Amino acid sequence: KIDQIEHAFSARLFIQLILRGGQHDAALLEGFNEPAPEFSLRPSATWLLHQFHFPNALKLEFAERKVTKMGADDLHMILRVDGTFLQHFQLHDFPYDSQTLQVHLSSHCANEGVAPVRFKWSPFTVKLQRPTHFALKDVWELDKP
């Protein structure tokens, strides 16, 4: 749903973050997928997963939040959310305007210190799933990132 008047849009997101070599770190495996993980000087992957938030979310529901073991080495932190996100629309060229819809993801952790979090971005990792199921495909043109 896209609401130009309220400057908001709704989206269902699947986010998968990878901790390379995470299965070899006992601290990351501690309390594996506990519902309310506690902080320690070496926090677990589950605790780290619960530190992610969406600053531009007006409404947010976590459909899934879990850590899984993948292969022999890695841990994957999985977030599946349904939300409504704030977005300022530039409507100067309406109805021929073009909009970029952004979802902001951040962590309550610092990028230094005991439990640093650094995002490593790759433009090849973002995918639009099932654009043929987009209800307004006859009105909106979807671009790949």
Side-chain angles (χ1 to χ4, degrees), residues 92-113:
H92 303 295
D93 295 328
F94 186 82
Y96 303 106
D97 57 314
S98 173
Q99 305 296 330
T100 300
L101 303 179
Q102 298 179 8
V103 174
H104 299 193
L105 173 67
S106 64
S107 174
H108 290 294
C109 299
N111 61 1
E112 55 192 33

Side-chain angles (χ1 to χ4, degrees), residues 64-112:
E64 184 175 30
R65 187 167 26 184
K66 69 179 181 180
V67 178
T68 62
K69 296 178 181 181
M70 295 296 271
D73 299 317
D74 299 337
L75 292 175
H76 287 214
M77 298 188 297
I78 296 170
L79 291 170
R80 200 165 45 91
V81 298
D82 292 311
T84 301
F85 302 92
L86 187 62
Q87 179 69 50
H88 183 71
F89 293 118
Q90 300 291 331
L91 302 173
H92 303 295
D93 295 328
F94 186 82
Y96 303 106
D97 57 314
S98 173
Q99 305 296 330
T100 300
L101 303 179
Q102 298 179 8
V103 174
H104 299 193
L105 173 67
S106 64
S107 174
H108 290 294
C109 299
N111 61 1
E112 55 192 33

